[in-house]
Structure formats: C-alpha cells, structure tokens
Amino acid sequence: MTDPDCAQMHGPQADRWMEHWLPAMRAAAAGTPVLELGCDTGGDTAWLLAQGFEVIGTDIAEDALRRCSVAAPRAALLLHDLRQPMPFADASFGVVVASLCLHYFDWHTTVAAVAEIRRCLRPGGLLLCRVNSTNDVDHGAMQGTEVEPHYFRQDAHYADFKRFFDAADLDRLFTPAAWTEVNREERQVLRYAKPKMAWEQVLRRT
C-alpha cells in the first residue's frame, strides 16, 4: 500500500526511481525473486517484471492486490500486514523494495518491520526504500495531532496515522550495525498530482 492520499497524475511511468540501480539489483538478486512490499496497484511491480525479475508482491489491501494482478499478472501476490512477521524464511531474497509503505506505524512497529526486512534479506542483499519526508508539506507533513515525534493522527483513507522522517530518523532506523548505506537522497516523487517529497535510500544488509 503506497500513500493513498495522493491522487495519481503523472503515473508510475514518470517515476522510474529504481532505474539507476538496475545493475546493482540484478547482481544482488542473483536468481531470487524481488520482494516488493506495499505493491499497491502494480506500477513498480510491472516495471520489475519488465526488467526480467520474478516478483513477490505484498499489500494489506485486497483491492490493491486485485488491481496489481491486472497490471502485473505474472507476479506472485500475497495479502500481508507489515505489522506482522513476514511468511518467508531467513535470507530468502537478494532484493527487497519498500516504496512509501513504511510510514503508517508507531516507532516500535516501524523498527520491527525493518528488522523483518533485514531477516528476509541475504547478507549483502539490497533494500530500495522510500519514506515520507518531513518536508512533504503537500501531503500532510507535520499536520494533525502529533502522537509521537513526527507521527501524526490524520484523516487518511487507509489509516488514521502517518509518519514523516528526517535524516536523524533514518539514522536511528537503519543503524550501521545492521545496514550499509549505499545512497540517500531527498527527492521529489513525480507520481502524483501535487509534488511529494520523499527520502530515497538504497541500503545493503550487513
């Protein structure tokens, strides 16, 4: 499930955010499927399939999975809540993609979800991740009732809470003991009607 409060305009075709990392992804996948968390309606899923990857996509929303199955019919799709442990063995994947799906949770749950991602990655595997920035003012950043630092109660479509991250939050979430940071940029996402600011990270599992 990606951010439901952003009406699509440009669409996934204008948001090829993983394209630069394609050679590294192919090397890291090494014959294993790519695990895509929060696959939503399948824009990134279809792109991954087009690059020759096998894809396992998960989402909490059944309607999103139905739409994803149309956009990416060769993907294996699974209904899953990121607040729960993932049904995969340790070190099952060389690449995990998590685009705009880790911003709905309290801090404890967010840390647990990232630990599950790491568990499912092979040592040296890649996580390609995007999360809401605290500068994402057109999509609710720092608005509503703050219940934890940078975590707000809001009137969102799929969830009552949204989290926004600054650089210090990312440092706490992706610690050097667990992850090697390959790249981090705060970028404008070109997928929606209004500009969206997000952190884009590529991390290698230690």
Coordinates of all heavy atoms in Angstrom, one line a residue, residues 38-114:
G38 N 4.2 -3.5 -0.1 CA 3.3 -2.4 -0.4 C 3.2 -2.2 -1.9 O 3.3 -1.1 -2.4
C39 N 2.9 -3.2 -2.6 CA 3.0 -3.2 -4.1 C 1.8 -2.3 -4.7 O 1.9 -1.9 -5.8 CB 2.9 -4.6 -4.7 SG 1.5 -5.5 -4.3
D40 N 0.8 -2.0 -3.9 CA -0.3 -1.2 -4.3 C -0.9 -1.7 -5.6 O -1.1 -2.9 -5.8 CB 0.2 0.3 -4.4 CG -0.9 1.3 -4.5 OD1 -1.9 1.2 -3.7 OD2 -0.9 2.2 -5.4
T41 N -1.1 -0.9 -6.6 CA -1.8 -1.3 -7.8 C -0.9 -1.8 -8.9 O -1.3 -2.0 -10.1 CB -2.7 -0.1 -8.4 OG1 -1.8 1.0 -8.6 CG2 -3.8 0.2 -7.4
G42 N 0.4 -1.9 -8.6 CA 1.3 -2.6 -9.5 C 2.2 -1.9 -10.5 O 2.8 -2.4 -11.4
G43 N 2.3 -0.5 -10.3 CA 3.2 0.2 -11.2 C 4.6 -0.2 -11.2 O 5.2 -0.5 -12.2
D44 N 5.2 -0.3 -10.0 CA 6.6 -0.7 -9.8 C 6.7 -2.2 -10.1 O 7.7 -2.7 -10.7 CB 7.1 -0.4 -8.4 CG 7.4 1.1 -8.2 OD1 7.6 1.8 -9.2 OD2 7.5 1.5 -7.1
T45 N 5.6 -3.0 -9.8 CA 5.6 -4.4 -10.0 C 5.8 -4.7 -11.5 O 6.6 -5.6 -11.9 CB 4.3 -5.0 -9.4 OG1 4.0 -4.4 -8.2 CG2 4.5 -6.5 -9.3
A46 N 5.0 -4.1 -12.3 CA 5.0 -4.3 -13.7 C 6.4 -3.9 -14.3 O 7.0 -4.6 -15.2 CB 3.9 -3.5 -14.4
W47 N 7.0 -2.8 -13.8 CA 8.3 -2.4 -14.2 C 9.4 -3.5 -13.8 O 10.2 -3.8 -14.7 CB 8.7 -1.1 -13.6 CG 10.0 -0.6 -14.1 CD1 10.3 0.1 -15.2 CD2 11.3 -0.7 -13.4 NE1 11.6 0.4 -15.3 CE2 12.3 -0.1 -14.2 CE3 11.7 -1.4 -12.2 CZ2 13.6 -0.1 -13.9 CZ3 13.0 -1.4 -11.9 CH2 14.0 -0.8 -12.7
L48 N 9.3 -4.0 -12.6 CA 10.3 -5.0 -12.2 C 10.1 -6.3 -13.1 O 11.2 -6.8 -13.5 CB 10.0 -5.4 -10.8 CG 10.4 -4.3 -9.7 CD1 9.8 -4.6 -8.4 CD2 11.9 -4.3 -9.6
L49 N 8.9 -6.7 -13.4 CA 8.7 -7.8 -14.3 C 9.3 -7.5 -15.7 O 9.9 -8.4 -16.3 CB 7.2 -8.1 -14.4 CG 6.6 -8.7 -13.2 CD1 5.1 -8.8 -13.4 CD2 7.1 -10.1 -12.9
A50 N 9.1 -6.3 -16.2 CA 9.6 -6.0 -17.5 C 11.2 -6.0 -17.5 O 11.7 -6.2 -18.6 CB 9.1 -4.6 -17.9
Q51 N 11.8 -5.9 -16.4 CA 13.3 -5.9 -16.3 C 13.8 -7.4 -16.2 O 15.0 -7.6 -16.1 CB 13.8 -5.1 -15.2 CG 13.3 -3.7 -15.1 CD 13.3 -3.0 -16.4 OE1 14.3 -2.9 -17.1 NE2 12.1 -2.4 -16.8
G52 N 12.8 -8.3 -16.2 CA 13.2 -9.7 -16.1 C 13.2 -10.4 -14.7 O 13.6 -11.5 -14.6
F53 N 12.8 -9.6 -13.7 CA 12.8 -10.2 -12.4 C 11.5 -11.0 -12.1 O 10.5 -10.7 -12.7 CB 12.8 -9.1 -11.3 CG 14.1 -8.2 -11.3 CD1 14.1 -6.9 -11.7 CD2 15.2 -8.8 -10.8 CE1 15.2 -6.2 -11.7 CE2 16.4 -8.0 -10.7 CZ 16.4 -6.7 -11.2
E54 N 11.6 -12.0 -11.3 CA 10.5 -12.6 -10.7 C 10.1 -11.7 -9.5 O 11.0 -11.2 -8.9 CB 10.7 -14.0 -10.2 CG 11.0 -15.0 -11.3 CD 11.2 -16.4 -10.8 OE1 10.5 -16.8 -9.8 OE2 12.1 -17.1 -11.2
V55 N 8.8 -11.6 -9.2 CA 8.4 -10.6 -8.2 C 7.4 -11.3 -7.3 O 6.4 -11.9 -7.8 CB 7.8 -9.3 -8.8 CG1 7.4 -8.4 -7.6 CG2 8.8 -8.6 -9.7
I56 N 7.6 -11.2 -6.0 CA 6.6 -11.5 -5.0 C 6.1 -10.1 -4.4 O 7.0 -9.4 -3.8 CB 7.1 -12.4 -3.9 CG1 7.5 -13.7 -4.5 CG2 6.1 -12.6 -2.8 CD1 8.2 -14.7 -3.5
G57 N 4.9 -9.8 -4.6 CA 4.4 -8.5 -4.1 C 3.4 -8.7 -2.9 O 2.6 -9.6 -3.0
T58 N 3.5 -7.8 -1.9 CA 2.6 -7.9 -0.8 C 1.9 -6.6 -0.6 O 2.4 -5.5 -1.0 CB 3.3 -8.3 0.5 OG1 4.0 -7.1 1.0 CG2 4.3 -9.4 0.3
D59 N 0.7 -6.6 -0.1 CA 0.0 -5.4 0.3 C -1.1 -5.8 1.3 O -1.6 -6.9 1.3 CB -0.7 -4.8 -1.0 CG -1.0 -3.3 -0.8 OD1 -2.0 -3.0 -0.1 OD2 -0.2 -2.5 -1.3
I60 N -1.5 -4.8 2.1 CA -2.6 -5.0 3.1 C -4.0 -4.9 2.5 O -4.9 -5.4 3.1 CB -2.4 -4.0 4.2 CG1 -3.2 -4.4 5.5 CG2 -2.7 -2.6 3.8 CD1 -3.0 -3.6 6.7
A61 N -4.1 -4.3 1.3 CA -5.4 -4.0 0.7 C -5.7 -5.0 -0.4 O -5.0 -5.1 -1.4 CB -5.4 -2.6 0.2
E62 N -6.8 -5.7 -0.2 CA -7.2 -6.7 -1.2 C -7.5 -6.0 -2.6 O -7.2 -6.6 -3.6 CB -8.5 -7.5 -0.7 CG -8.2 -8.4 0.5 CD -9.4 -9.2 0.9 OE1 -10.5 -8.9 0.3 OE2 -9.2 -10.1 1.7
D63 N -8.2 -4.8 -2.5 CA -8.5 -4.2 -3.8 C -7.2 -3.8 -4.5 O -7.1 -3.9 -5.8 CB -9.3 -2.9 -3.5 CG -9.7 -2.2 -4.8 OD1 -10.4 -2.8 -5.7 OD2 -9.2 -1.0 -5.0
A64 N -6.2 -3.3 -3.8 CA -4.9 -3.0 -4.5 C -4.3 -4.3 -5.1 O -3.8 -4.2 -6.2 CB -3.9 -2.4 -3.4
L65 N -4.4 -5.4 -4.4 CA -3.8 -6.6 -5.0 C -4.6 -7.1 -6.2 O -4.0 -7.6 -7.2 CB -3.8 -7.7 -3.9 CG -2.8 -7.6 -2.8 CD1 -3.1 -8.7 -1.7 CD2 -1.4 -7.6 -3.3
R66 N -5.9 -6.9 -6.2 CA -6.7 -7.2 -7.4 C -6.2 -6.4 -8.6 O -6.0 -6.9 -9.7 CB -8.2 -7.0 -7.2 CG -8.8 -8.1 -6.4 CD -10.3 -8.1 -6.4 NE -10.8 -6.9 -5.7 CZ -11.1 -6.9 -4.4 NH1 -11.0 -8.0 -3.7 NH2 -11.6 -5.8 -3.8
R67 N -6.0 -5.1 -8.4 CA -5.6 -4.2 -9.5 C -4.1 -4.5 -9.9 O -3.8 -4.4 -11.0 CB -5.7 -2.8 -9.0 CG -7.2 -2.4 -8.8 CD -7.3 -1.0 -8.2 NE -6.9 0.1 -9.1 CZ -6.8 1.3 -8.8 NH1 -7.1 1.7 -7.6 NH2 -6.4 2.2 -9.7
C68 N -3.3 -4.9 -8.9 CA -1.9 -5.2 -9.2 C -1.9 -6.5 -10.1 O -1.1 -6.6 -11.0 CB -1.2 -5.5 -7.9 SG 0.6 -5.8 -8.2
S69 N -2.8 -7.4 -9.8 CA -2.8 -8.7 -10.6 C -3.2 -8.4 -12.1 O -2.8 -9.2 -13.0 CB -3.8 -9.7 -10.0 OG -5.2 -9.2 -10.2
V70 N -3.9 -7.3 -12.4 CA -4.1 -6.9 -13.7 C -2.9 -6.2 -14.4 O -2.5 -6.5 -15.5 CB -5.4 -6.0 -13.8 CG1 -5.6 -5.5 -15.2 CG2 -6.6 -6.7 -13.3
A71 N -2.3 -5.3 -13.6 CA -1.1 -4.6 -14.1 C 0.1 -5.5 -14.3 O 0.9 -5.3 -15.1 CB -0.8 -3.5 -13.2
A72 N 0.2 -6.5 -13.4 CA 1.4 -7.4 -13.3 C 1.0 -8.8 -13.1 O 1.2 -9.4 -12.1 CB 2.3 -6.9 -12.2
P73 N 0.4 -9.4 -14.1 CA -0.2 -10.8 -14.0 C 0.7 -11.9 -13.6 O 0.3 -12.9 -13.1 CB -1.0 -11.0 -15.3 CG -0.3 -10.1 -16.3 CD 0.1 -8.9 -15.5
R74 N 2.0 -11.7 -13.9 CA 3.0 -12.7 -13.6 C 3.6 -12.7 -12.2 O 4.4 -13.5 -11.8 CB 4.1 -12.7 -14.7 CG 3.7 -13.1 -16.1 CD 4.9 -13.2 -17.0 NE 5.4 -11.9 -17.4 CZ 6.6 -11.4 -16.9 NH1 7.4 -12.2 -16.2 NH2 7.0 -10.2 -17.3
A75 N 3.2 -11.6 -11.5 CA 3.7 -11.5 -10.1 C 3.0 -12.5 -9.2 O 1.8 -12.7 -9.4 CB 3.6 -10.1 -9.6
A76 N 3.7 -13.0 -8.2 CA 3.0 -13.7 -7.1 C 2.6 -12.7 -6.0 O 3.5 -12.0 -5.5 CB 4.0 -14.8 -6.6
L77 N 1.3 -12.7 -5.7 CA 0.8 -11.6 -4.8 C 0.3 -12.2 -3.5 O -0.3 -13.3 -3.5 CB -0.3 -10.9 -5.5 CG 0.1 -10.2 -6.8 CD1 -1.1 -9.5 -7.4 CD2 1.3 -9.2 -6.6
L78 N 0.5 -11.5 -2.4 CA 0.2 -12.0 -1.1 C -0.4 -10.9 -0.3 O 0.2 -9.8 -0.2 CB 1.5 -12.5 -0.5 CG 1.4 -13.0 1.0 CD1 0.6 -14.3 1.0 CD2 2.8 -13.3 1.5
L79 N -1.5 -11.2 0.4 CA -2.1 -10.3 1.3 C -1.3 -10.3 2.6 O -1.1 -11.4 3.2 CB -3.6 -10.7 1.6 CG -4.4 -9.7 2.5 CD1 -4.7 -8.4 1.7 CD2 -5.7 -10.4 2.9
H80 N -0.7 -9.2 3.0 CA 0.1 -9.2 4.2 C 0.1 -7.8 4.9 O 0.2 -6.8 4.2 CB 1.6 -9.6 3.9 CG 2.4 -9.6 5.1 ND1 3.3 -8.6 5.4 CD2 2.5 -10.5 6.1 CE1 4.0 -8.9 6.5 NE2 3.5 -10.0 7.0
D81 N 0.1 -7.8 6.2 CA 0.1 -6.6 7.0 C 1.6 -6.5 7.6 O 2.1 -7.4 8.2 CB -0.9 -6.8 8.2 CG -1.0 -5.5 9.1 OD1 -0.1 -4.7 9.1 OD2 -2.0 -5.4 9.8
L82 N 2.2 -5.4 7.3 CA 3.6 -5.2 7.7 C 3.8 -5.1 9.2 O 4.9 -5.1 9.7 CB 4.2 -3.9 7.0 CG 4.5 -4.0 5.5 CD1 4.8 -2.7 4.9 CD2 5.6 -5.0 5.3
R83 N 2.7 -5.0 9.9 CA 2.8 -5.1 11.4 C 3.0 -6.5 11.9 O 3.3 -6.7 13.1 CB 1.6 -4.5 12.0 CG 1.4 -3.0 11.8 CD 0.0 -2.5 12.2 NE -1.0 -3.0 11.3 CZ -2.3 -2.7 11.4 NH1 -2.7 -1.7 12.3 NH2 -3.2 -3.2 10.6
Q84 N 2.9 -7.5 11.0 CA 3.1 -8.9 11.4 C 4.4 -9.4 10.8 O 4.9 -8.9 9.7 CB 1.9 -9.7 10.9 CG 0.5 -9.2 11.4 CD 0.4 -9.2 12.9 OE1 0.9 -10.2 13.5 NE2 -0.2 -8.2 13.5
P85 N 4.9 -10.5 11.3 CA 6.1 -11.1 10.7 C 5.8 -11.6 9.3 O 4.6 -12.0 9.0 CB 6.3 -12.3 11.7 CG 5.7 -11.9 13.0 CD 4.5 -11.1 12.6
M86 N 6.8 -11.6 8.5 CA 6.6 -12.0 7.1 C 6.7 -13.5 7.0 O 7.6 -14.1 7.7 CB 7.6 -11.3 6.2 CG 7.3 -9.8 6.1 SD 8.2 -8.9 4.7 CE 9.8 -8.8 5.4
P87 N 5.9 -14.1 6.1 CA 5.9 -15.6 6.0 C 7.0 -16.1 5.1 O 6.7 -16.9 4.2 CB 4.5 -15.8 5.4 CG 4.3 -14.6 4.5 CD 4.9 -13.5 5.2
F88 N 8.2 -15.7 5.3 CA 9.4 -16.1 4.4 C 10.5 -16.5 5.3 O 10.7 -16.0 6.5 CB 9.8 -15.0 3.5 CG 8.8 -14.4 2.7 CD1 8.3 -13.0 2.9 CD2 8.1 -15.1 1.7 CE1 7.4 -12.5 2.1 CE2 7.1 -14.5 0.9 CZ 6.7 -13.2 1.1
A89 N 11.3 -17.5 4.9 CA 12.4 -18.0 5.6 C 13.5 -16.9 5.7 O 13.5 -16.0 4.8 CB 13.0 -19.2 5.0
D90 N 14.4 -17.0 6.6 CA 15.5 -16.1 6.7 C 16.3 -16.1 5.4 O 16.5 -17.2 4.8 CB 16.5 -16.6 7.8 CG 15.9 -16.4 9.2 OD1 14.7 -16.0 9.3 OD2 16.5 -16.8 10.2
A91 N 16.8 -14.9 5.0 CA 17.7 -14.8 3.9 C 17.1 -15.4 2.6 O 17.8 -16.0 1.8 CB 19.1 -15.5 4.2
S92 N 15.8 -15.1 2.4 CA 15.2 -15.7 1.2 C 15.4 -14.8 -0.1 O 15.2 -15.3 -1.2 CB 13.7 -15.8 1.4 OG 13.4 -16.7 2.4
F93 N 15.7 -13.5 0.1 CA 15.8 -12.6 -1.0 C 17.1 -11.9 -1.1 O 17.7 -11.6 -0.1 CB 14.6 -11.6 -0.9 CG 13.3 -12.2 -0.8 CD1 12.7 -12.4 0.5 CD2 12.6 -12.6 -1.9 CE1 11.4 -13.0 0.6 CE2 11.3 -13.3 -1.8 CZ 10.7 -13.5 -0.6
G94 N 17.4 -11.5 -2.4 CA 18.6 -10.7 -2.6 C 18.2 -9.2 -2.7 O 19.1 -8.3 -2.5
V95 N 17.0 -8.9 -3.0 CA 16.5 -7.5 -3.2 C 15.1 -7.4 -2.6 O 14.2 -8.3 -2.8 CB 16.4 -7.1 -4.7 CG1 15.8 -5.7 -4.8 CG2 17.8 -7.2 -5.3
V96 N 14.9 -6.4 -1.7 CA 13.6 -6.0 -1.2 C 13.3 -4.6 -1.6 O 14.2 -3.7 -1.5 CB 13.5 -6.2 0.3 CG1 12.1 -5.7 0.8 CG2 13.7 -7.7 0.7
V97 N 12.1 -4.3 -2.1 CA 11.6 -3.0 -2.4 C 10.5 -2.6 -1.5 O 9.6 -3.3 -1.3 CB 11.2 -2.9 -3.9 CG1 10.6 -1.5 -4.2 CG2 12.3 -3.2 -4.9
A98 N 10.6 -1.4 -0.9 CA 9.6 -0.9 0.0 C 9.4 0.6 -0.3 O 10.1 1.4 0.3 CB 10.0 -1.1 1.5
S99 N 8.5 0.9 -1.2 CA 8.3 2.3 -1.6 C 7.0 2.8 -1.0 O 5.9 2.4 -1.3 CB 8.1 2.3 -3.2 OG 7.9 3.6 -3.6
L100 N 7.2 3.8 -0.1 CA 6.2 4.6 0.5 C 5.1 3.7 1.3 O 3.9 3.9 1.2 CB 5.5 5.4 -0.5 CG 6.4 6.4 -1.3 CD1 5.6 7.1 -2.4 CD2 7.0 7.4 -0.3
C101 N 5.6 2.7 1.9 CA 4.7 1.8 2.7 C 5.1 1.6 4.1 O 4.4 0.9 4.9 CB 4.7 0.4 2.0 SG 6.3 -0.5 2.0
L102 N 6.1 2.3 4.6 CA 6.6 2.2 6.0 C 6.3 3.4 6.8 O 6.9 3.5 7.9 CB 8.1 1.9 6.0 CG 8.6 0.6 5.4 CD1 10.1 0.6 5.3 CD2 8.1 -0.6 6.2
H103 N 5.3 4.1 6.4 CA 5.0 5.4 7.1 C 3.7 5.4 7.9 O 3.3 6.5 8.3 CB 5.1 6.6 6.2 CG 4.1 6.5 5.0 ND1 4.5 6.5 3.7 CD2 2.8 6.5 5.0 CE1 3.5 6.4 2.9 NE2 2.4 6.4 3.7
Y104 N 3.1 4.3 8.2 CA 1.8 4.2 8.9 C 1.9 3.8 10.3 O 0.9 3.8 11.0 CB 0.9 3.2 8.2 CG 0.5 3.6 6.8 CD1 1.1 3.0 5.7 CD2 -0.4 4.7 6.5 CE1 0.7 3.4 4.4 CE2 -0.8 5.0 5.3 CZ -0.2 4.4 4.2 OH -0.6 4.8 2.9
F105 N 3.1 3.6 10.8 CA 3.3 2.9 12.1 C 3.9 3.7 13.2 O 4.7 4.6 12.9 CB 4.1 1.6 11.9 CG 3.7 0.8 10.6 CD1 4.6 0.6 9.6 CD2 2.4 0.4 10.5 CE1 4.2 -0.1 8.5 CE2 2.0 -0.3 9.3 CZ 2.9 -0.6 8.3
D106 N 3.7 3.3 14.4 CA 4.4 3.9 15.5 C 5.9 3.4 15.4 O 6.2 2.5 14.6 CB 3.8 3.5 16.9 CG 3.8 2.0 17.1 OD1 4.9 1.4 17.1 OD2 2.7 1.4 17.3
W107 N 6.8 4.1 16.2 CA 8.2 3.8 16.0 C 8.6 2.4 16.3 O 9.3 1.7 15.6 CB 9.0 4.8 16.9 CG 10.5 4.6 16.6 CD1 11.4 4.1 17.4 CD2 11.2 5.1 15.5 NE1 12.6 4.1 16.8 CE2 12.5 4.8 15.6 CE3 10.8 5.8 14.3 CZ2 13.5 5.1 14.7 CZ3 11.7 6.1 13.4 CH2 13.1 5.8 13.6
H108 N 8.0 1.8 17.4 CA 8.3 0.4 17.7 C 8.0 -0.5 16.6 O 8.8 -1.4 16.2 CB 7.6 0.0 19.0 CG 7.7 -1.4 19.4 ND1 8.9 -1.9 20.0 CD2 6.9 -2.5 19.2 CE1 8.7 -3.2 20.2 NE2 7.6 -3.6 19.7
T109 N 6.8 -0.3 16.0 CA 6.4 -1.2 14.9 C 7.2 -1.0 13.6 O 7.5 -1.9 12.9 CB 4.9 -0.9 14.6 OG1 4.1 -1.1 15.8 CG2 4.4 -1.8 13.5
T110 N 7.6 0.3 13.4 CA 8.4 0.6 12.2 C 9.8 -0.1 12.4 O 10.3 -0.7 11.4 CB 8.6 2.1 12.1 OG1 7.4 2.7 12.0 CG2 9.4 2.4 10.8
V111 N 10.4 -0.1 13.6 CA 11.7 -0.7 13.8 C 11.5 -2.2 13.6 O 12.4 -2.9 13.0 CB 12.2 -0.4 15.2 CG1 13.3 -1.3 15.6 CG2 12.6 1.1 15.3
A112 N 10.4 -2.8 14.1 CA 10.2 -4.3 13.9 C 10.0 -4.6 12.5 O 10.5 -5.7 12.0 CB 9.0 -4.7 14.7
A113 N 9.3 -3.8 11.7 CA 9.1 -4.1 10.3 C 10.5 -4.1 9.5 O 10.7 -4.9 8.7 CB 8.2 -3.1 9.7
V114 N 11.3 -3.1 9.9 CA 12.7 -3.1 9.2 C 13.5 -4.3 9.6 O 14.2 -4.8 8.8 CB 13.3 -1.7 9.6 CG1 14.8 -1.7 9.1 CG2 12.6 -0.6 8.9

